[in-house]
Amino acid sequence: MEIEGATGDRMDGFVPGTFSIAARDPEAGEFGVAVSTALVGVGALCPFVSENAAVATQSFVKVSHGANAVEMADRGVSVPTALDALVTDDDHASYRQVHGIDAGGRTYAFSGDDCVDWYGHLEAEDHTVAGNMLANGDVIEVMSETFGATRGELAERLMAALEAGQEAGGDKRGKISAALLVHSSDPKLYHNLRIDNSEDPVGDLREAFELGKETEADLPASADEMLGEYPEEILDFGLKY
């Protein structure tokens, strides 16, 4: 695992800064992104997933990079090829940060030279991590280490990594929003969560995550109580991506 990044003194002003992890669980066939920032509504901007890829687009974000990358992955294009082409064709790529992984385990991470310090990224087994305007370079390294050391389903490992990044310093401006997005063949209520405006977005995301797991587990009993007999298929909600 090699960390690529830069340090310096430039930080003043209300500039987009974010830390995120994109990952896959090859056995479960799941892809996910967890992300937090000191701007409102990060879940509407940064995480993109499909049955073939997980991508995060951040810094001075270009939402279409994430959407186009996962769409290309679904057509059989590797994430490195897709993101490299998108970055190459972007006149303002020096302000962007994008990273992700595909179904073949191929990774890509890019941080433009005009991202705000501290910024950097890394690529590791089954995941990529990147951040900009961070408290320090430890943030992404700790996220990667935590993801690798955590056991359980992909969503839990992503949450643990995000919490570790926040504990290591996170976005040096503060905390406002966080999000978790997971694509799974067995979607759960806690696979698509957003905290858009909070004094403790990662903590609130964990609270929503645990409530989602509890609600998911209680659904059959609740349906039994409300409906008596019912077709089990009505509890297969699916998930919006």
Side-chain angles (χ1 to χ4, degrees):
M1 178 179 67
E2 181 178 352
I3 298 174
E4 298 187 22
T7 59
D9 298 325
R10 189 170 51 132
M11 68 165 285
D12 293 336
F14 202 61
V15 180
T18 309
F19 57 103
S20 65
I21 177 169
R24 69 163 187 160
D25 180 336
E27 294 184 2
E30 295 179 343
F31 290 88
V33 175
V35 56
S36 185
T37 190
L39 291 177
V40 69
V42 70
L45 300 172
C46 295
F48 292 84
V49 299
S50 74
E51 62 182 347
N52 294 297
V55 171
T57 172
Q58 54 200 54
S59 187
F60 288 87
V61 68
K62 188 173 179 65
V63 169
S64 62
H65 282 352
N68 288 337
V70 297
E71 189 275 333
M72 291 167 74
D74 288 343
R75 292 192 281 111
V77 180
S78 75
V79 158
T81 298
L83 285 176
D84 186 64
L86 292 166
V87 168
T88 299
D89 196 44
D90 185 349
D91 291 339
H92 305 294
S94 66
Y95 296 93
R96 316 291 192 199
Q97 195 171 49
V98 292
H99 64 103
I101 186 168
D102 63 27
R106 293 162 297 214
T107 60
Y108 179 91
F110 170 84
S111 300
D113 292 340
D114 289 316
C115 291
V116 180
D117 301 322
W118 190 95
Y119 68 86
H121 58 260
L122 62 83
E123 301 172 61
E125 184 177 2
D126 290 330
H127 68 283
T128 57
V129 187
N132 60 88
M133 206 170 187
L134 300 184
N136 53 68
D138 293 341
V139 174
I140 64 171
E141 185 172 7
V142 168
M143 290 175 70
S144 178
E145 291 173 352
T146 301
F147 180 81
T150 302
R151 297 295 170 257
E153 64 178 307
L154 181 63
E156 175 59 46
R157 298 176 70 194
L158 290 169
M159 277 299 314
L162 194 68
E163 289 169 324
Q166 184 61 68
E167 184 67 22
D171 187 324
K172 64 186 175 185
R173 295 162 304 165
K175 302 175 285 186
I176 293 180
S177 66
L180 172 70
L181 185 61
V182 174
H183 188 286
S184 173
S185 60
D186 185 22
K188 303 296 184 184
L189 294 176
Y190 52 90
H191 281 172
N192 188 348
L193 300 174
R194 284 175 49 177
I195 304 298
D196 285 336
N197 183 18
S198 168
E199 294 182 358
D200 182 18
V202 175
D204 287 348
L205 188 67
R206 168 60 78 174
E207 184 176 343
F209 180 76
E210 296 299 333
L211 180 59
K213 291 175 67 175
E214 179 182 334
T215 302
E216 188 81 40
D218 290 346
L219 272 174
S222 298
D224 286 343
E225 183 177 346
M226 289 185 294
L227 302 174
E229 294 186 2
Y230 63 92
E232 293 182 2
E233 290 79 6
I234 67 171
L235 299 185
D236 294 334
F237 296 152
L239 196 67
K240 179 182 178 181
Y241 294 108

